[in-house]
């Protein structure tokens, strides 16, 4: 049985991935900033522990003890600085490489760094919402950091469609590489695609994206 450790396991996307992985028989550890005792809607069979993506040494230790490490931690959306999430990934990549971590690293990215047909990132198009620009910029930078990661790191980034919201998984989904695969994805569909990829890897050291069919 493969083991999965999910940072951001109580967020909209992270909780959906946690539940989907547990339902398929993975041994799942959910990492949360909250006390495990107060996790709402805890998934049966999941072990919850406390952790922060900014605690590099602890993330590396958790990565060394699992088969798959999922990083589902968004940047700040309340007007505060997004620099901490950039700093966390900047510190984590070389630390994982130095520790020779063999776990697969699965990062939840953002739609803003996906591209229009002419190669423009969505975050740089005129109609992109200003409220999400800073976070989109941060995850474009984070994508570049992972693309430059040492060859020994086995990473994948999955980005959502431009609109993502809570909801059950659709019967099928569409995948894309640099361009969005559609306009909308539910959290359930996103989680389904993520765990499909974790069970049968097809996008190693690459970013891909998903939308409801």
């Amino acid at each position: 049985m493969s083991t999965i450790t999910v940072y951001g396991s109580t967020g909209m996307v992270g909780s959906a991935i946690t539940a989907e992985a547990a339902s398929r028989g993975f041994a799942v550890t959910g990492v949360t900033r909250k006390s495990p005792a107060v996790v709402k809607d805890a998934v049966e069979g999941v072990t919850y522990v406390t952790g922060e993506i900014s605690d590099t040494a602890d993330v590396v230790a958790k990565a060394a003890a699992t088969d798959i490490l999922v990083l589902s931690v968004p940047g700040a959306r309340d007007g505060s600085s997004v620099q901490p999430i950039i700093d966390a990934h900047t510190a984590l990549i070389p630390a994982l490489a130095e520790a020779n971590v063999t776990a697969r690293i699965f990062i939840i990215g953002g739609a803003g760094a996906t591209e229009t047909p002419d190669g423009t990132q969505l975050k740089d198009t005129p109609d992109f919402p200003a409220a999400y620009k800073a976070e989109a910029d941060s995850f474009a930078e984070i994508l570049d950091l992972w693309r430059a990661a040492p060859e020994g790191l086995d990473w994948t980034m999955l980005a959502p469609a431009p609109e993502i919201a809570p909801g059950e998984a659709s019967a099928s989904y569409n995948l894309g590489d640099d361009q969005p695969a559609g306009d909308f994805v539910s959290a359930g569909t996103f989680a389904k695609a993520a765990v499909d990829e974790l069970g049968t890897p097809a996008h190693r050291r690459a970013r891909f994206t998903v939308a409801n069919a």
Side-chain angles (χ1 to χ4, degrees), residues 32-45:
T32 174
R33 291 179 296 175
K34 308 170 185 176
S35 166
V38 300
V39 172
K40 295 181 179 179
D41 302 319
V43 178
E44 184 176 357

Side-chain angles (χ1 to χ4, degrees), residues 8-139:
S9 60
T10 59
M12 178 183 70
V13 172
S15 62
I17 293 174
T18 297
E20 181 72 16
S23 74
R24 298 200 205 179
F26 289 94
V28 184
T29 298
V31 185
T32 174
R33 291 179 296 175
K34 308 170 185 176
S35 166
V38 300
V39 172
K40 295 181 179 179
D41 302 319
V43 178
E44 184 176 357
V46 173
T47 300
Y48 289 92
V49 299
T50 302
E52 293 264 5
I53 193 173
S54 58
D55 187 346
T56 303
D58 188 54
V59 178
V60 171
K62 285 179 168 62
T66 192
D67 297 316
I68 300 165
L69 181 73
V70 177
L71 302 176
S72 180
V73 182
R77 295 173 181 165
D78 59 359
S80 57
S81 176
V82 295
Q83 193 61 43
I85 191 66
I86 298 171
D87 291 344
H89 285 268
T90 300
L92 181 59
I93 292 169
L96 289 168
E98 184 177 352
N100 295 314
V101 168
T102 59
R104 189 171 187 201
I105 313 300
F106 195 84
I107 309 104
I108 308 309
T114 57
E115 300 174 0
T116 64
D118 69 1
T120 302
Q121 291 189 334
L122 294 190
K123 68 184 183 64
D124 296 323
T125 58
D127 295 332
F128 192 82
Y132 297 104
K133 184 65 163 60
E135 184 186 18
D137 284 339
S138 69
F139 271 87

